Amino acid sequence: MMIKAINTTAVVKRVLIGSVAAVTLYGSIGLAIARPTVGLVLGGGGARGFAHIGVLEVLREQRIPVDCVAGTSMGGLVTGVMAVGLSPEEMLSEIGKADWRDMFKDTPVTSEINPQKRYISRRFIPGTEMGITKDGTEPLPGVLEGQKIKLFFNKLVRSQYGSPQIENLPLPVSIISTDLVTGDKVVFREGSVTKAMRASMSVPGLMAPYPDGDRLLVDGGLVDNVPIDEVRARCNPDVVIAVNVGSPLMKAKDIAGIFSVAGQMVNILTEQNVVKSLATLKQSDIYIKPDLDGISAGDFMRSADAAKRGRAAAEAVLPQLQALRVDDAQYSSWLAKMTPVRGQLPVIDAVEIAGLKQTNPKYVDKYLRGYEGAPLDIDRVDQDLGLVYGTEAYSTVDYALIASRDKNILRITPLEKSFGPDFLRFGFNIDSATNGPSTYNLRVAYDKTWLNSLGGEWITGVQLGNNPAVFTELYQPLDTDQRFFVQSKLSYQRLPFEIYQNNKAIAEYKIDQFSADLMGGFNVGLWGPVSAGWIWRQRGANLETGDPALGSGDKNFGGFAAQLYFDQFDRLYAPMNGWMAKGAYFNNAADNYSKAELDLRAAHSAGSYVFLGRLYGAGSPTGTLPFYDAVSLGGFLNLSGFARGQIVGDSLLFGQLRAEKIVGELPLGLRGDMRVGLALEAGKVNGRYTETELNGWQSSVAAYVGGETPIGVVYIGYGDSPNGVSNIYIFLGTP
């Protein structure tokens, strides 16, 4: 049954009985009067759990001490943070400042990803890889691993002063989780506070289970969302204050699609155990259920609103709560016990990297230098661990500050991916235009990582579709810092190519290209690689349609090549901020020409607007670019009013300005947004082999809608030019 109020007379009677007991025990009426003990229960409910903070505000204002607390999911988070001494005001401030949208996106900022992994991520859909183990293939355990969430928990509990343990807290604490393997309830009464918080909040399907020995721990709401029995077992309180913030069951009209069905199933399981828990409430207990209508479990940006509603719910039962008040002296004594004394930050004596089996500890250590002899800077730790996570070798990277033998040890615990170290990666693209060739391809690759202690990687795969391809690539670092490397590539690909004149395709070719590259180079920090070596190409042009007089033929060529690829964008495909610089030089001494390219791009955001620019130039410093290795313009956002590769010549200049308006964001946990955009473009091709009548600069305008999604980039666009052709473009997937 649900008890919304307590019997005041009964509580007063219990207080009087306790007072008599205290007098009898101590023999003096002048000694402190015993008070009813209070157990606090904070239920789970996702973002609705921020209402707990409002309840805590009222308890503090009314001078109501708590003798033990048990929490589940978000209630477990608030439980842990309360027990380490944060006031409700501090909680609300810290939670309000947090960027929850970013926190639920494990994907690192692109500029912080290891350059080699960044190169692979652009070709394959991030987050779709499958691990290859001795037992077969294994999919990702959840949409996100909870990397940023766990580090945020560390900040909340002030881990820079030492990683708090439940058994050392001034208040008996229980945090509830569920063993996904057995279905058993798991109660944390000892161990790391943040570990318990993270395990209790692992919503199945959204967040990967938290590994704990042989157990896989998930959201405690599946078995005990309002843990009343646990708080009774913890301290046998006279009065239980139970706060229920669970989500109601969805109406029939709201259940549509697999995600809503799955969500409703979880809600049913949760509601069943909540009903059983509430039935154990006694007449003297206090039940608080805030009105959270309109606030969903995923509304993490509405913490202040939820807290306000929690406060209102607590104030609605204020007469019952006031029966639990104590005098100022008693409450001050309790509060002093709850408030930790924090002095100077501890100085780090040593850094320890623990738990690695497959990867080289030095691969982690390179990001963690300069800690010894200085106070722990938690913001720097978060930043550096983000870089370690950006290597994509680990599911999570955590830390703990441990006092051992009069030394402060910063223990770093990278958790190697359980579903690796080898992976199947997937990519696809649909690239269609009303004028010009369209392509439809599926890409699958086997990625074998950590071939050796230096982090060697071999990836080989196939592309199926109307542009079939096979490829194999070996990347071998030459030092543990992975500054220097050698790289070899072999590939075959069939490409479409059309020849245009007067805005009409007069011939269509299929180009069969064989490639071989052998390069060596170095990474300029996280900017990207600079490399040089030898490349070789064989291109066979087979005429499909058009005048037979145009002919077909093969061409072999090769020579010295140098490249740089600096990428400091914050996202792979639809950046908000940052820049990119690509440069390439090729010298073909046999055919007496060289080729140079420079592509500069930048992005800057202001509120919901993003402004982007591009400058691109290419040509031959010596000689003339032959037709088989010429440069071209045309295609979406590459002089959009012309078909892809429509204007081919010896050299080119191209400039572009774009403005985008963000019109929608993807659901919590998914990186990306949707935008409407406008592009103004101008380009000039000299020494033209096609479209020989197009003299001077050509202008183009493009309008589009799209953005970055979990399956890559999506765009629908329209391009037009006074001298070109109108074109409608559709793109979906990875380049």
Side-chain angles (χ1 to χ4, degrees):
M1 76 181 162
M2 296 184 182
I3 309 297
K4 297 187 177 181
I6 67 171
N7 186 321
T8 307
T9 302
V11 173
V12 172
K13 194 179 289 183
R14 296 177 71 140
V15 172
L16 291 174
I17 293 172
S19 301
V20 173
V23 172
T24 302
L25 180 62
Y26 298 109
S28 174
I29 192 70
L31 296 179
I33 297 175
R35 63 174 179 83
T37 54
V38 176
L40 180 63
V41 179
L42 303 179
R48 295 161 63 93
F50 293 136
H52 294 313
I53 301 175
V55 175
L56 295 182
E57 287 178 339
V58 175
L59 295 182
R60 178 164 289 209
E61 291 169 2
Q62 296 300 315
R63 303 194 308 274
I64 300 172
V66 173
D67 296 282
C68 63
V69 59
T72 298
S73 193
M74 181 58 76
L77 165 69
V78 177
T79 291
V81 177
M82 169 192 174
V84 299
L86 264 70
S87 69
E89 293 75 21
E90 289 174 315
M91 289 186 209
L92 199 57
S93 174
E94 295 286 347
I95 288 170
K97 291 186 297 184
D99 186 348
W100 287 92
R101 284 199 169 276
D102 181 69
M103 205 178 307
F104 276 88
K105 300 168 186 171
D106 272 339
T107 306
V109 174
T110 300
S111 59
E112 296 180 352
I113 299 176
N114 172 281
Q116 172 65 7
K117 299 302 181 182
R118 191 161 61 213
Y119 164 73
I120 292 175
S121 294
R122 288 192 177 278
R123 301 161 62 195
F124 302 94
I125 301 172
T128 62
E129 65 267 23
M130 297 183 65
I132 301 178
T133 68
K134 60 181 181 181
D135 299 321
T137 59
E138 184 176 336
L140 290 174
V143 175
L144 69 156
E145 294 283 355
Q147 170 67 17
K148 295 179 182 178
I149 291 174
K150 181 59 168 67
L151 294 183
F152 177 64
F153 291 171
N154 291 350
K155 277 190 175 182
L156 279 180
V157 303
R158 308 298 194 248
S159 287
Q160 63 267 42
Y161 291 95
S163 301
Q165 302 295 301
I166 295 175
E167 63 270 24
N168 297 330
L169 297 175
L171 191 68
V173 166
S174 299
I175 298 176
I176 312 302
S177 186
T178 304
D179 188 338
L180 189 59
V181 179
T182 65
D184 294 335
K185 179 168 70 175
V186 177
V187 182
F188 285 93
R189 291 185 173 185
E190 60 183 18
S192 166
V193 174
T194 55
K195 171 185 173 180
M197 293 157 60
R198 165 65 178 83
S200 187
M201 286 190 64
S202 300
V203 180
L206 172 63
M207 195 178 300
Y210 191 88
D212 183 36
D214 295 331
R215 303 185 299 190
L216 293 175
L217 304 181
V218 296
D219 197 318
L222 296 177
V223 292
D224 198 0
N225 202 48
V226 186
I228 296 170
D229 286 346
E230 171 57 26
V231 87
R232 293 196 196 280
R234 198 76 166 100
C235 68
N236 191 28
D238 296 314
V239 178
V240 170
I241 302 174
V243 188
N244 179 16
V245 295
S247 300
L249 296 177
M250 290 183 285
K251 305 295 184 184
K253 62 181 180 63
D254 300 322
I255 303 175
I258 185 172
F259 293 107
S260 60
V261 171
Q264 183 78 334
M265 291 172 64
V266 173
N267 288 344
I268 290 172
L269 289 172
T270 302
E271 186 64 19
Q272 287 175 343
N273 71 66
V274 168
V275 170
K276 292 180 181 178
S277 289
L278 296 179
T280 68
L281 287 173
K282 302 175 182 178
Q283 193 172 9
S284 57
D285 297 330
I286 302 175
Y287 178 61
I288 300 174
K289 186 172 176 56
D291 180 5
L292 297 169
D293 186 42
I295 299 179
S296 74
D299 283 334
F300 284 87
M301 283 64 70
R302 298 179 65 181
S303 56
D305 186 12
K308 185 183 295 183
R309 299 196 198 187
R311 181 184 185 93
E315 290 174 342
V317 295
L318 199 57
Q320 291 78 29
L321 289 173
Q322 287 175 335
L324 305 175
R325 295 178 65 176
V326 299
D327 60 37
D328 288 342
Q330 284 181 295
Y331 192 74
S332 295
S333 176
W334 178 86
L335 194 60
K337 182 182 71 172
M338 290 291 299
T339 305
V341 178
R342 296 190 176 103
Q344 293 183 333
L345 288 170
V347 174
I348 304 301
D349 297 303
V351 177
E352 176 185 285
I353 300 171
L356 295 182
K357 298 178 181 179
Q358 178 71 29
T359 59
N360 191 334
K362 294 182 179 179
Y363 186 56
V364 177
D365 183 64
K366 71 177 181 178
Y367 298 105
L368 306 172
R369 295 168 183 173
Y371 284 96
E372 293 90 343
L376 180 60
D377 184 341
I378 196 169
D379 291 325
R380 180 189 169 188
V381 172
D382 283 1
Q383 182 179 13
D384 291 347
L385 295 194
L387 299 178
V388 177
Y389 187 72
T391 65
E392 298 190 354
Y394 311 104
S395 297
T396 59
V397 188
D398 202 1
Y399 71 91
L401 183 58
I402 300 170
S404 177
R405 298 179 180 179
D406 298 325
K407 290 186 176 182
N408 294 316
I409 298 174
L410 179 62
R411 179 174 294 168
I412 308 298
T413 52
L415 181 63
E416 294 171 330
K417 292 183 176 180
S418 62
F419 53 98
D422 302 336
F423 305 94
L424 282 178
R425 300 188 181 274
F426 303 91
F428 80 103
N429 61 64
I430 298 173
D431 189 358
S432 181
T434 52
N435 290 285
S438 297
T439 60
Y440 314 90
N441 299 296
L442 172 66
R443 195 176 304 122
V444 183
Y446 175 80
D447 186 6
K448 188 171 183 60
T449 68
W450 287 97
L451 297 172
N452 46 57
S453 62
L454 297 179
E457 184 171 9
W458 174 49
I459 184 168
T460 188
V462 60
Q463 179 169 286
L464 306 174
N466 55 358
N467 287 352
V470 293
F471 55 91
T472 186
E473 303 175 10
L474 177 65
Y475 178 83
Q476 179 58 62
L478 300 178
D479 61 318
T480 54
D481 285 349
Q482 298 194 347
R483 291 170 296 183
F484 300 95
F485 64 88
V486 293
Q487 189 170 25
S488 62
K489 303 179 183 179
L490 294 172
S491 67
Y492 160 80
Q493 187 172 12
R494 170 165 288 187
L495 303 167
F497 179 73
E498 294 184 337
I499 296 178
Y500 290 83
Q501 191 67 27
N502 299 322
N503 289 322
K504 294 182 179 179
I506 62 173
E508 179 182 355
Y509 282 85
K510 293 293 185 185
I511 307 297
D512 292 312
Q513 176 172 289
F514 295 87
S515 303
D517 298 13
L518 180 60
M519 309 287 285
F522 60 93
N523 289 304
V524 184
L526 290 176
W527 280 15
V530 176
S531 58
W534 187 267
I535 65 173
W536 172 85
R537 303 286 185 269
Q538 181 188 60
R539 289 176 180 163
N542 301 301
L543 182 66
E544 297 286 311
T545 61
D547 188 347
L550 293 172
S552 301
D554 297 338
K555 178 63 181 180
N556 297 328
F557 60 100
F560 170 79
Q563 302 169 354
L564 67 83
Y565 191 172
F566 295 162
D567 186 351
Q568 288 297 284
F569 279 137
D570 56 348
R571 295 183 184 176
L572 286 174
Y573 308 114
M576 297 286 291
N577 296 283
W579 58 273
M580 185 180 72
K582 294 171 62 177
Y585 175 80
F586 172 65
N587 183 61
N588 185 347
D591 292 337
N592 199 31
Y593 78 91
S594 60
K595 181 179 181 179
E597 297 179 87
L598 182 62
D599 193 350
L600 304 175
R601 309 186 189 203
H604 178 72
S605 64
S608 61
Y609 291 91
V610 184
F611 303 95
L612 305 101
R614 182 189 179 196
L615 291 173
Y616 173 46
S620 178
T622 60
T624 300
L625 294 181
F627 184 75
Y628 59 81
D629 200 18
V631 292
S632 66
L633 285 177
F636 185 55
L637 299 180
N638 196 46
L639 211 62
S640 307
F642 296 85
R644 187 189 311 119
Q646 183 175 338
I647 313 173
V648 181
D650 171 62
S651 64
L652 65 83
L653 290 172
F654 174 75
Q656 179 191 80
L657 292 175
R658 292 160 56 190
E660 299 177 341
K661 167 72 174 175
I662 298 174
V663 295
E665 294 185 334
L666 297 185
L668 202 68
L670 302 176
R671 181 177 296 278
D673 51 46
M674 298 304 293
R675 311 175 181 187
V676 294
L678 180 69
L680 302 177
E681 304 169 313
K684 179 182 181 183
V685 178
N686 298 316
R688 293 175 305 282
Y689 292 110
T690 65
E691 297 292 2
T692 55
E693 304 300 318
L694 291 179
N695 297 313
W697 286 89
Q698 306 299 317
S699 62
S700 181
V701 62
Y704 54 92
V705 59
E708 188 170 332
T709 77
I711 58 172
V713 64
V714 177
Y715 279 116
I716 299 176
Y718 172 78
D720 200 7
S721 173
N723 298 320
V725 293
S726 300
N727 225 335
I728 296 175
Y729 298 94
I730 298 174
F731 185 90
L732 174 64
T734 54

